[in-house]
Amino acid sequence: MTIDAPYTIRAATAADNTRLAEFGAAQFSAAFGADNTPENLAAYLAETYSPEKQAAQLAAPDSPYLIAEEAGRPVGYAWLKFEPAPEGVPGQRPMELVRFYVDRAWHGRGLAQALMAACLDTARAVGADALWLSTWNRNARGIAFYLKQGFRIAGALTFVVGDDPQTDWLMVREL
């Protein structure tokens, strides 16, 4: 017997820009807000999550967004794009997993695994031969998840929140 998932995963469209901006800002704040100053957090959110910025990203070629929804409400999303890869990333056509968020209420319910599977399928479908991402080196839950999904740590990168340079792990997975 199969049980239907209570969510759907689909390609995001231009009409999703405001929802993605609001959801992304809320998820980043929930995950990392307590570890950053209010000023740095506000600066990062203002720079990164606006409906206009999301609209531009959604319109970019070779830059798919996936959105997971329950009853029309976002519960997760991922953004992939072809971007010059840093040293340590394998493959001839690597793709970056820029963002990957799942609402905390959905942790442990299989949504993250399903969203990652959709990311891997999407990357393969557009010709990527590797997937890479960066995640804060203090994001233990995220690192554990990515390792379980077949990624490995391949180096370190700097990620700036406001005016605070932080260390991210570069993680890679061949497809």
PDB file of all heavy atoms in Angstrom, residues 76-112:
ATOM      1  N   GLY A  76       9.201  24.042   1.933  1.00  0.00           N
ATOM      2  CA  GLY A  76      10.593  23.820   1.591  1.00  0.00           C
ATOM      3  C   GLY A  76      10.876  24.375   0.211  1.00  0.00           C
ATOM      4  O   GLY A  76       9.955  24.591  -0.572  1.00  0.00           O
ATOM      5  N   TYR A  77      12.162  24.656  -0.048  1.00  0.00           N
ATOM      6  CA  TYR A  77      12.542  25.013  -1.404  1.00  0.00           C
ATOM      7  C   TYR A  77      14.033  24.834  -1.600  1.00  0.00           C
ATOM      8  O   TYR A  77      14.806  24.746  -0.640  1.00  0.00           O
ATOM      9  CB  TYR A  77      12.083  26.421  -1.788  1.00  0.00           C
ATOM     10  CG  TYR A  77      13.006  27.575  -1.471  1.00  0.00           C
ATOM     11  CD1 TYR A  77      13.922  28.042  -2.411  1.00  0.00           C
ATOM     12  CD2 TYR A  77      12.932  28.241  -0.263  1.00  0.00           C
ATOM     13  CE1 TYR A  77      14.743  29.124  -2.144  1.00  0.00           C
ATOM     14  CE2 TYR A  77      13.744  29.331   0.017  1.00  0.00           C
ATOM     15  CZ  TYR A  77      14.648  29.760  -0.931  1.00  0.00           C
ATOM     16  OH  TYR A  77      15.469  30.833  -0.656  1.00  0.00           O
ATOM     17  N   ALA A  78      14.395  24.751  -2.867  1.00  0.00           N
ATOM     18  CA  ALA A  78      15.796  24.606  -3.251  1.00  0.00           C
ATOM     19  C   ALA A  78      16.031  25.439  -4.494  1.00  0.00           C
ATOM     20  O   ALA A  78      15.137  25.589  -5.330  1.00  0.00           O
ATOM     21  CB  ALA A  78      16.119  23.141  -3.537  1.00  0.00           C
ATOM     22  N   TRP A  79      17.241  25.979  -4.587  1.00  0.00           N
ATOM     23  CA  TRP A  79      17.637  26.765  -5.751  1.00  0.00           C
ATOM     24  C   TRP A  79      18.960  26.211  -6.248  1.00  0.00           C
ATOM     25  O   TRP A  79      19.917  26.092  -5.496  1.00  0.00           O
ATOM     26  CB  TRP A  79      17.765  28.235  -5.375  1.00  0.00           C
ATOM     27  CG  TRP A  79      18.306  29.125  -6.448  1.00  0.00           C
ATOM     28  CD1 TRP A  79      18.156  28.986  -7.798  1.00  0.00           C
ATOM     29  CD2 TRP A  79      19.088  30.304  -6.265  1.00  0.00           C
ATOM     30  NE1 TRP A  79      18.796  30.009  -8.460  1.00  0.00           N
ATOM     31  CE2 TRP A  79      19.374  30.838  -7.533  1.00  0.00           C
ATOM     32  CE3 TRP A  79      19.570  30.962  -5.135  1.00  0.00           C
ATOM     33  CZ2 TRP A  79      20.114  31.986  -7.714  1.00  0.00           C
ATOM     34  CZ3 TRP A  79      20.304  32.122  -5.326  1.00  0.00           C
ATOM     35  CH2 TRP A  79      20.571  32.625  -6.598  1.00  0.00           C
ATOM     36  N   LEU A  80      19.003  25.866  -7.513  1.00  0.00           N
ATOM     37  CA  LEU A  80      20.207  25.350  -8.157  1.00  0.00           C
ATOM     38  C   LEU A  80      20.603  26.294  -9.280  1.00  0.00           C
ATOM     39  O   LEU A  80      19.741  26.923  -9.890  1.00  0.00           O
ATOM     40  CB  LEU A  80      19.950  23.970  -8.758  1.00  0.00           C
ATOM     41  CG  LEU A  80      19.473  22.889  -7.796  1.00  0.00           C
ATOM     42  CD1 LEU A  80      17.999  22.636  -7.988  1.00  0.00           C
ATOM     43  CD2 LEU A  80      20.260  21.627  -8.003  1.00  0.00           C
ATOM     44  N   LYS A  81      21.903  26.375  -9.559  1.00  0.00           N
ATOM     45  CA  LYS A  81      22.332  27.162 -10.718  1.00  0.00           C
ATOM     46  C   LYS A  81      23.722  26.742 -11.139  1.00  0.00           C
ATOM     47  O   LYS A  81      24.507  26.229 -10.340  1.00  0.00           O
ATOM     48  CB  LYS A  81      22.276  28.656 -10.449  1.00  0.00           C
ATOM     49  CG  LYS A  81      23.314  29.189  -9.494  1.00  0.00           C
ATOM     50  CD  LYS A  81      23.189  30.707  -9.377  1.00  0.00           C
ATOM     51  CE  LYS A  81      24.213  31.261  -8.425  1.00  0.00           C
ATOM     52  NZ  LYS A  81      24.217  32.707  -8.396  1.00  0.00           N
ATOM     53  N   PHE A  82      23.979  26.971 -12.424  1.00  0.00           N
ATOM     54  CA  PHE A  82      25.329  26.779 -12.918  1.00  0.00           C
ATOM     55  C   PHE A  82      26.119  28.024 -12.557  1.00  0.00           C
ATOM     56  O   PHE A  82      25.708  29.136 -12.862  1.00  0.00           O
ATOM     57  CB  PHE A  82      25.342  26.522 -14.426  1.00  0.00           C
ATOM     58  CG  PHE A  82      24.898  25.139 -14.783  1.00  0.00           C
ATOM     59  CD1 PHE A  82      23.665  24.911 -15.347  1.00  0.00           C
ATOM     60  CD2 PHE A  82      25.734  24.054 -14.548  1.00  0.00           C
ATOM     61  CE1 PHE A  82      23.248  23.626 -15.667  1.00  0.00           C
ATOM     62  CE2 PHE A  82      25.335  22.770 -14.864  1.00  0.00           C
ATOM     63  CZ  PHE A  82      24.080  22.561 -15.423  1.00  0.00           C
ATOM     64  N   GLU A  83      27.191  27.818 -11.862  1.00  0.00           N
ATOM     65  CA  GLU A  83      28.029  28.896 -11.342  1.00  0.00           C
ATOM     66  C   GLU A  83      29.464  28.389 -11.398  1.00  0.00           C
ATOM     67  O   GLU A  83      29.701  27.207 -11.188  1.00  0.00           O
ATOM     68  CB  GLU A  83      27.616  29.163  -9.884  1.00  0.00           C
ATOM     69  CG  GLU A  83      28.305  30.297  -9.190  1.00  0.00           C
ATOM     70  CD  GLU A  83      27.805  31.662  -9.654  1.00  0.00           C
ATOM     71  OE1 GLU A  83      26.744  31.751 -10.285  1.00  0.00           O
ATOM     72  OE2 GLU A  83      28.521  32.625  -9.398  1.00  0.00           O
ATOM     73  N   PRO A  84      30.432  29.241 -11.691  1.00  0.00           N
ATOM     74  CA  PRO A  84      31.813  28.751 -11.651  1.00  0.00           C
ATOM     75  C   PRO A  84      32.099  28.095 -10.297  1.00  0.00           C
ATOM     76  O   PRO A  84      31.833  28.679  -9.248  1.00  0.00           O
ATOM     77  CB  PRO A  84      32.645  30.017 -11.856  1.00  0.00           C
ATOM     78  CG  PRO A  84      31.735  30.939 -12.617  1.00  0.00           C
ATOM     79  CD  PRO A  84      30.356  30.652 -12.088  1.00  0.00           C
ATOM     80  N   ALA A  85      32.589  26.889 -10.348  1.00  0.00           N
ATOM     81  CA  ALA A  85      32.806  26.113  -9.128  1.00  0.00           C
ATOM     82  C   ALA A  85      34.176  26.413  -8.527  1.00  0.00           C
ATOM     83  O   ALA A  85      35.145  26.627  -9.259  1.00  0.00           O
ATOM     84  CB  ALA A  85      32.685  24.623  -9.430  1.00  0.00           C
ATOM     85  N   PRO A  86      34.245  26.409  -7.213  1.00  0.00           N
ATOM     86  CA  PRO A  86      35.546  26.595  -6.572  1.00  0.00           C
ATOM     87  C   PRO A  86      36.428  25.363  -6.742  1.00  0.00           C
ATOM     88  O   PRO A  86      35.955  24.278  -7.111  1.00  0.00           O
ATOM     89  CB  PRO A  86      35.190  26.823  -5.101  1.00  0.00           C
ATOM     90  CG  PRO A  86      33.845  26.232  -4.925  1.00  0.00           C
ATOM     91  CD  PRO A  86      33.157  26.283  -6.249  1.00  0.00           C
ATOM     92  N   GLU A  87      37.706  25.533  -6.463  1.00  0.00           N
ATOM     93  CA  GLU A  87      38.642  24.415  -6.508  1.00  0.00           C
ATOM     94  C   GLU A  87      38.159  23.314  -5.578  1.00  0.00           C
ATOM     95  O   GLU A  87      37.658  23.575  -4.489  1.00  0.00           O
ATOM     96  CB  GLU A  87      40.033  24.894  -6.069  1.00  0.00           C
ATOM     97  CG  GLU A  87      41.110  23.865  -6.279  1.00  0.00           C
ATOM     98  CD  GLU A  87      42.489  24.435  -5.957  1.00  0.00           C
ATOM     99  OE1 GLU A  87      42.736  25.605  -6.263  1.00  0.00           O
ATOM    100  OE2 GLU A  87      43.286  23.669  -5.401  1.00  0.00           O
ATOM    101  N   GLY A  88      38.300  22.082  -6.032  1.00  0.00           N
ATOM    102  CA  GLY A  88      37.879  20.938  -5.231  1.00  0.00           C
ATOM    103  C   GLY A  88      36.566  20.329  -5.680  1.00  0.00           C
ATOM    104  O   GLY A  88      36.161  19.286  -5.186  1.00  0.00           O
ATOM    105  N   VAL A  89      35.891  20.991  -6.635  1.00  0.00           N
ATOM    106  CA  VAL A  89      34.615  20.467  -7.133  1.00  0.00           C
ATOM    107  C   VAL A  89      34.898  19.639  -8.378  1.00  0.00           C
ATOM    108  O   VAL A  89      35.512  20.127  -9.329  1.00  0.00           O
ATOM    109  CB  VAL A  89      33.631  21.611  -7.451  1.00  0.00           C
ATOM    110  CG1 VAL A  89      32.359  21.064  -8.085  1.00  0.00           C
ATOM    111  CG2 VAL A  89      33.304  22.393  -6.179  1.00  0.00           C
ATOM    112  N   PRO A  90      34.461  18.372  -8.394  1.00  0.00           N
ATOM    113  CA  PRO A  90      34.730  17.503  -9.545  1.00  0.00           C
ATOM    114  C   PRO A  90      33.769  17.785 -10.699  1.00  0.00           C
ATOM    115  O   PRO A  90      32.779  18.485 -10.541  1.00  0.00           O
ATOM    116  CB  PRO A  90      34.483  16.106  -8.969  1.00  0.00           C
ATOM    117  CG  PRO A  90      33.414  16.328  -7.944  1.00  0.00           C
ATOM    118  CD  PRO A  90      33.724  17.683  -7.340  1.00  0.00           C
ATOM    119  N   GLY A  91      34.078  17.185 -11.815  1.00  0.00           N
ATOM    120  CA  GLY A  91      33.158  17.196 -12.938  1.00  0.00           C
ATOM    121  C   GLY A  91      33.473  18.251 -13.983  1.00  0.00           C
ATOM    122  O   GLY A  91      34.186  19.220 -13.731  1.00  0.00           O
ATOM    123  N   GLN A  92      32.899  18.038 -15.155  1.00  0.00           N
ATOM    124  CA  GLN A  92      33.044  18.965 -16.275  1.00  0.00           C
ATOM    125  C   GLN A  92      31.936  20.014 -16.284  1.00  0.00           C
ATOM    126  O   GLN A  92      32.094  21.082 -16.854  1.00  0.00           O
ATOM    127  CB  GLN A  92      33.018  18.189 -17.600  1.00  0.00           C
ATOM    128  CG  GLN A  92      34.161  17.219 -17.744  1.00  0.00           C
ATOM    129  CD  GLN A  92      35.498  17.919 -17.728  1.00  0.00           C
ATOM    130  OE1 GLN A  92      35.721  18.878 -18.459  1.00  0.00           O
ATOM    131  NE2 GLN A  92      36.394  17.465 -16.857  1.00  0.00           N
ATOM    132  N   ARG A  93      30.806  19.684 -15.647  1.00  0.00           N
ATOM    133  CA  ARG A  93      29.639  20.588 -15.646  1.00  0.00           C
ATOM    134  C   ARG A  93      28.971  20.540 -14.269  1.00  0.00           C
ATOM    135  O   ARG A  93      27.846  20.067 -14.123  1.00  0.00           O
ATOM    136  CB  ARG A  93      28.675  20.179 -16.746  1.00  0.00           C
ATOM    137  CG  ARG A  93      27.591  21.194 -17.030  1.00  0.00           C
ATOM    138  CD  ARG A  93      26.971  20.950 -18.395  1.00  0.00           C
ATOM    139  NE  ARG A  93      25.615  21.443 -18.493  1.00  0.00           N
ATOM    140  CZ  ARG A  93      25.285  22.710 -18.735  1.00  0.00           C
ATOM    141  NH1 ARG A  93      26.208  23.614 -18.902  1.00  0.00           N
ATOM    142  NH2 ARG A  93      24.021  23.062 -18.820  1.00  0.00           N
ATOM    143  N   PRO A  94      29.662  21.043 -13.249  1.00  0.00           N
ATOM    144  CA  PRO A  94      29.088  21.025 -11.906  1.00  0.00           C
ATOM    145  C   PRO A  94      28.018  22.102 -11.730  1.00  0.00           C
ATOM    146  O   PRO A  94      28.067  23.154 -12.368  1.00  0.00           O
ATOM    147  CB  PRO A  94      30.291  21.295 -11.003  1.00  0.00           C
ATOM    148  CG  PRO A  94      31.228  22.075 -11.851  1.00  0.00           C
ATOM    149  CD  PRO A  94      31.023  21.578 -13.268  1.00  0.00           C
ATOM    150  N   MET A  95      27.061  21.824 -10.870  1.00  0.00           N
ATOM    151  CA  MET A  95      25.973  22.750 -10.575  1.00  0.00           C
ATOM    152  C   MET A  95      25.976  23.026  -9.077  1.00  0.00           C
ATOM    153  O   MET A  95      26.221  22.119  -8.282  1.00  0.00           O
ATOM    154  CB  MET A  95      24.637  22.136 -11.008  1.00  0.00           C
ATOM    155  CG  MET A  95      23.429  23.015 -10.802  1.00  0.00           C
ATOM    156  SD  MET A  95      21.948  22.291 -11.566  1.00  0.00           S
ATOM    157  CE  MET A  95      21.444  23.674 -12.576  1.00  0.00           C
ATOM    158  N   GLU A  96      25.681  24.263  -8.725  1.00  0.00           N
ATOM    159  CA  GLU A  96      25.637  24.633  -7.316  1.00  0.00           C
ATOM    160  C   GLU A  96      24.223  24.482  -6.757  1.00  0.00           C
ATOM    161  O   GLU A  96      23.252  24.891  -7.392  1.00  0.00           O
ATOM    162  CB  GLU A  96      26.085  26.085  -7.130  1.00  0.00           C
ATOM    163  CG  GLU A  96      26.082  26.521  -5.667  1.00  0.00           C
ATOM    164  CD  GLU A  96      26.481  27.965  -5.450  1.00  0.00           C
ATOM    165  OE1 GLU A  96      26.635  28.717  -6.436  1.00  0.00           O
ATOM    166  OE2 GLU A  96      26.646  28.350  -4.278  1.00  0.00           O
ATOM    167  N   LEU A  97      24.119  23.912  -5.581  1.00  0.00           N
ATOM    168  CA  LEU A  97      22.881  23.918  -4.806  1.00  0.00           C
ATOM    169  C   LEU A  97      23.006  25.127  -3.882  1.00  0.00           C
ATOM    170  O   LEU A  97      23.658  25.078  -2.848  1.00  0.00           O
ATOM    171  CB  LEU A  97      22.714  22.621  -4.009  1.00  0.00           C
ATOM    172  CG  LEU A  97      21.491  22.513  -3.107  1.00  0.00           C
ATOM    173  CD1 LEU A  97      20.202  22.767  -3.872  1.00  0.00           C
ATOM    174  CD2 LEU A  97      21.457  21.153  -2.434  1.00  0.00           C
ATOM    175  N   VAL A  98      22.445  26.242  -4.317  1.00  0.00           N
ATOM    176  CA  VAL A  98      22.639  27.522  -3.650  1.00  0.00           C
ATOM    177  C   VAL A  98      21.877  27.589  -2.336  1.00  0.00           C
ATOM    178  O   VAL A  98      22.402  28.039  -1.321  1.00  0.00           O
ATOM    179  CB  VAL A  98      22.199  28.689  -4.566  1.00  0.00           C
ATOM    180  CG1 VAL A  98      22.464  30.036  -3.904  1.00  0.00           C
ATOM    181  CG2 VAL A  98      22.878  28.604  -5.924  1.00  0.00           C
ATOM    182  N   ARG A  99      20.631  27.144  -2.380  1.00  0.00           N
ATOM    183  CA  ARG A  99      19.805  27.162  -1.170  1.00  0.00           C
ATOM    184  C   ARG A  99      19.030  25.860  -1.066  1.00  0.00           C
ATOM    185  O   ARG A  99      18.583  25.306  -2.068  1.00  0.00           O
ATOM    186  CB  ARG A  99      18.824  28.332  -1.194  1.00  0.00           C
ATOM    187  CG  ARG A  99      19.511  29.643  -1.124  1.00  0.00           C
ATOM    188  CD  ARG A  99      18.589  30.766  -0.680  1.00  0.00           C
ATOM    189  NE  ARG A  99      19.324  32.003  -0.846  1.00  0.00           N
ATOM    190  CZ  ARG A  99      19.076  32.899  -1.796  1.00  0.00           C
ATOM    191  NH1 ARG A  99      18.071  32.746  -2.613  1.00  0.00           N
ATOM    192  NH2 ARG A  99      19.815  33.979  -1.888  1.00  0.00           N
ATOM    193  N   PHE A 100      18.855  25.435   0.176  1.00  0.00           N
ATOM    194  CA  PHE A 100      18.087  24.231   0.453  1.00  0.00           C
ATOM    195  C   PHE A 100      17.474  24.414   1.837  1.00  0.00           C
ATOM    196  O   PHE A 100      18.185  24.354   2.838  1.00  0.00           O
ATOM    197  CB  PHE A 100      19.006  22.993   0.433  1.00  0.00           C
ATOM    198  CG  PHE A 100      18.259  21.695   0.518  1.00  0.00           C
ATOM    199  CD1 PHE A 100      17.831  21.049  -0.623  1.00  0.00           C
ATOM    200  CD2 PHE A 100      17.974  21.120   1.752  1.00  0.00           C
ATOM    201  CE1 PHE A 100      17.137  19.842  -0.544  1.00  0.00           C
ATOM    202  CE2 PHE A 100      17.284  19.932   1.840  1.00  0.00           C
ATOM    203  CZ  PHE A 100      16.865  19.288   0.683  1.00  0.00           C
ATOM    204  N   TYR A 101      16.178  24.688   1.875  1.00  0.00           N
ATOM    205  CA  TYR A 101      15.495  24.947   3.140  1.00  0.00           C
ATOM    206  C   TYR A 101      14.266  24.062   3.278  1.00  0.00           C
ATOM    207  O   TYR A 101      13.499  23.899   2.329  1.00  0.00           O
ATOM    208  CB  TYR A 101      15.034  26.402   3.235  1.00  0.00           C
ATOM    209  CG  TYR A 101      16.140  27.412   3.319  1.00  0.00           C
ATOM    210  CD1 TYR A 101      16.198  28.469   2.427  1.00  0.00           C
ATOM    211  CD2 TYR A 101      17.127  27.328   4.293  1.00  0.00           C
ATOM    212  CE1 TYR A 101      17.210  29.415   2.501  1.00  0.00           C
ATOM    213  CE2 TYR A 101      18.138  28.263   4.369  1.00  0.00           C
ATOM    214  CZ  TYR A 101      18.170  29.311   3.476  1.00  0.00           C
ATOM    215  OH  TYR A 101      19.176  30.233   3.560  1.00  0.00           O
ATOM    216  N   VAL A 102      14.092  23.542   4.477  1.00  0.00           N
ATOM    217  CA  VAL A 102      12.885  22.801   4.835  1.00  0.00           C
ATOM    218  C   VAL A 102      12.415  23.361   6.163  1.00  0.00           C
ATOM    219  O   VAL A 102      13.196  23.488   7.109  1.00  0.00           O
ATOM    220  CB  VAL A 102      13.165  21.280   4.932  1.00  0.00           C
ATOM    221  CG1 VAL A 102      11.975  20.536   5.499  1.00  0.00           C
ATOM    222  CG2 VAL A 102      13.546  20.726   3.560  1.00  0.00           C
ATOM    223  N   ASP A 103      11.147  23.725   6.234  1.00  0.00           N
ATOM    224  CA  ASP A 103      10.565  24.252   7.460  1.00  0.00           C
ATOM    225  C   ASP A 103      10.781  23.264   8.608  1.00  0.00           C
ATOM    226  O   ASP A 103      10.634  22.050   8.425  1.00  0.00           O
ATOM    227  CB  ASP A 103       9.063  24.499   7.242  1.00  0.00           C
ATOM    228  CG  ASP A 103       8.420  25.205   8.400  1.00  0.00           C
ATOM    229  OD1 ASP A 103       8.091  24.519   9.390  1.00  0.00           O
ATOM    230  OD2 ASP A 103       8.239  26.434   8.330  1.00  0.00           O
ATOM    231  N   ARG A 104      11.146  23.778   9.763  1.00  0.00           N
ATOM    232  CA  ARG A 104      11.440  22.904  10.919  1.00  0.00           C
ATOM    233  C   ARG A 104      10.309  21.951  11.256  1.00  0.00           C
ATOM    234  O   ARG A 104      10.545  20.847  11.723  1.00  0.00           O
ATOM    235  CB  ARG A 104      11.780  23.751  12.147  1.00  0.00           C
ATOM    236  CG  ARG A 104      13.168  24.304  12.088  1.00  0.00           C
ATOM    237  CD  ARG A 104      13.564  24.944  13.386  1.00  0.00           C
ATOM    238  NE  ARG A 104      14.941  25.413  13.256  1.00  0.00           N
ATOM    239  CZ  ARG A 104      15.553  26.147  14.128  1.00  0.00           C
ATOM    240  NH1 ARG A 104      14.940  26.528  15.229  1.00  0.00           N
ATOM    241  NH2 ARG A 104      16.798  26.519  13.925  1.00  0.00           N
ATOM    242  N   ALA A 105       9.079  22.365  11.047  1.00  0.00           N
ATOM    243  CA  ALA A 105       7.937  21.482  11.330  1.00  0.00           C
ATOM    244  C   ALA A 105       7.967  20.225  10.464  1.00  0.00           C
ATOM    245  O   ALA A 105       7.326  19.229  10.796  1.00  0.00           O
ATOM    246  CB  ALA A 105       6.619  22.240  11.107  1.00  0.00           C
ATOM    247  N   TRP A 106       8.747  20.261   9.381  1.00  0.00           N
ATOM    248  CA  TRP A 106       8.831  19.131   8.457  1.00  0.00           C
ATOM    249  C   TRP A 106      10.106  18.318   8.623  1.00  0.00           C
ATOM    250  O   TRP A 106      10.302  17.328   7.915  1.00  0.00           O
ATOM    251  CB  TRP A 106       8.689  19.631   7.015  1.00  0.00           C
ATOM    252  CG  TRP A 106       7.268  20.001   6.743  1.00  0.00           C
ATOM    253  CD1 TRP A 106       6.653  21.190   7.029  1.00  0.00           C
ATOM    254  CD2 TRP A 106       6.267  19.156   6.210  1.00  0.00           C
ATOM    255  NE1 TRP A 106       5.335  21.124   6.683  1.00  0.00           N
ATOM    256  CE2 TRP A 106       5.071  19.889   6.171  1.00  0.00           C
ATOM    257  CE3 TRP A 106       6.271  17.848   5.741  1.00  0.00           C
ATOM    258  CZ2 TRP A 106       3.885  19.345   5.688  1.00  0.00           C
ATOM    259  CZ3 TRP A 106       5.091  17.315   5.255  1.00  0.00           C
ATOM    260  CH2 TRP A 106       3.925  18.058   5.235  1.00  0.00           C
ATOM    261  N   HIS A 107      10.961  18.712   9.536  1.00  0.00           N
ATOM    262  CA  HIS A 107      12.173  17.910   9.780  1.00  0.00           C
ATOM    263  C   HIS A 107      11.776  16.531  10.280  1.00  0.00           C
ATOM    264  O   HIS A 107      10.856  16.383  11.084  1.00  0.00           O
ATOM    265  CB  HIS A 107      13.074  18.601  10.811  1.00  0.00           C
ATOM    266  CG  HIS A 107      13.750  19.822  10.295  1.00  0.00           C
ATOM    267  ND1 HIS A 107      14.686  20.507  11.019  1.00  0.00           N
ATOM    268  CD2 HIS A 107      13.641  20.493   9.107  1.00  0.00           C
ATOM    269  CE1 HIS A 107      15.121  21.546  10.330  1.00  0.00           C
ATOM    270  NE2 HIS A 107      14.491  21.553   9.164  1.00  0.00           N
ATOM    271  N   GLY A 108      12.471  15.516   9.791  1.00  0.00           N
ATOM    272  CA  GLY A 108      12.221  14.146  10.226  1.00  0.00           C
ATOM    273  C   GLY A 108      11.018  13.489   9.587  1.00  0.00           C
ATOM    274  O   GLY A 108      10.643  12.386   9.981  1.00  0.00           O
ATOM    275  N   ARG A 109      10.426  14.116   8.586  1.00  0.00           N
ATOM    276  CA  ARG A 109       9.213  13.576   7.963  1.00  0.00           C
ATOM    277  C   ARG A 109       9.422  13.144   6.515  1.00  0.00           C
ATOM    278  O   ARG A 109       8.466  12.820   5.823  1.00  0.00           O
ATOM    279  CB  ARG A 109       8.083  14.606   8.052  1.00  0.00           C
ATOM    280  CG  ARG A 109       7.730  14.911   9.506  1.00  0.00           C
ATOM    281  CD  ARG A 109       6.747  16.048   9.660  1.00  0.00           C
ATOM    282  NE  ARG A 109       5.472  15.776   9.038  1.00  0.00           N
ATOM    283  CZ  ARG A 109       4.492  16.681   8.956  1.00  0.00           C
ATOM    284  NH1 ARG A 109       4.660  17.890   9.444  1.00  0.00           N
ATOM    285  NH2 ARG A 109       3.356  16.371   8.367  1.00  0.00           N
ATOM    286  N   GLY A 110      10.686  13.147   6.051  1.00  0.00           N
ATOM    287  CA  GLY A 110      10.986  12.669   4.706  1.00  0.00           C
ATOM    288  C   GLY A 110      10.968  13.728   3.627  1.00  0.00           C
ATOM    289  O   GLY A 110      11.354  13.455   2.484  1.00  0.00           O
ATOM    290  N   LEU A 111      10.547  14.937   3.954  1.00  0.00           N
ATOM    291  CA  LEU A 111      10.493  15.983   2.940  1.00  0.00           C
ATOM    292  C   LEU A 111      11.886  16.364   2.446  1.00  0.00           C
ATOM    293  O   LEU A 111      12.102  16.521   1.244  1.00  0.00           O
ATOM    294  CB  LEU A 111       9.769  17.219   3.485  1.00  0.00           C
ATOM    295  CG  LEU A 111       9.779  18.442   2.569  1.00  0.00           C
ATOM    296  CD1 LEU A 111       9.132  18.148   1.221  1.00  0.00           C
ATOM    297  CD2 LEU A 111       9.095  19.621   3.233  1.00  0.00           C
ATOM    298  N   ALA A 112      12.840  16.503   3.343  1.00  0.00           N
ATOM    299  CA  ALA A 112      14.188  16.896   2.927  1.00  0.00           C
ATOM    300  C   ALA A 112      14.778  15.878   1.949  1.00  0.00           C
ATOM    301  O   ALA A 112      15.388  16.252   0.944  1.00  0.00           O
ATOM    302  CB  ALA A 112      15.096  17.076   4.143  1.00  0.00           C
TER     303      ALA A 112
END
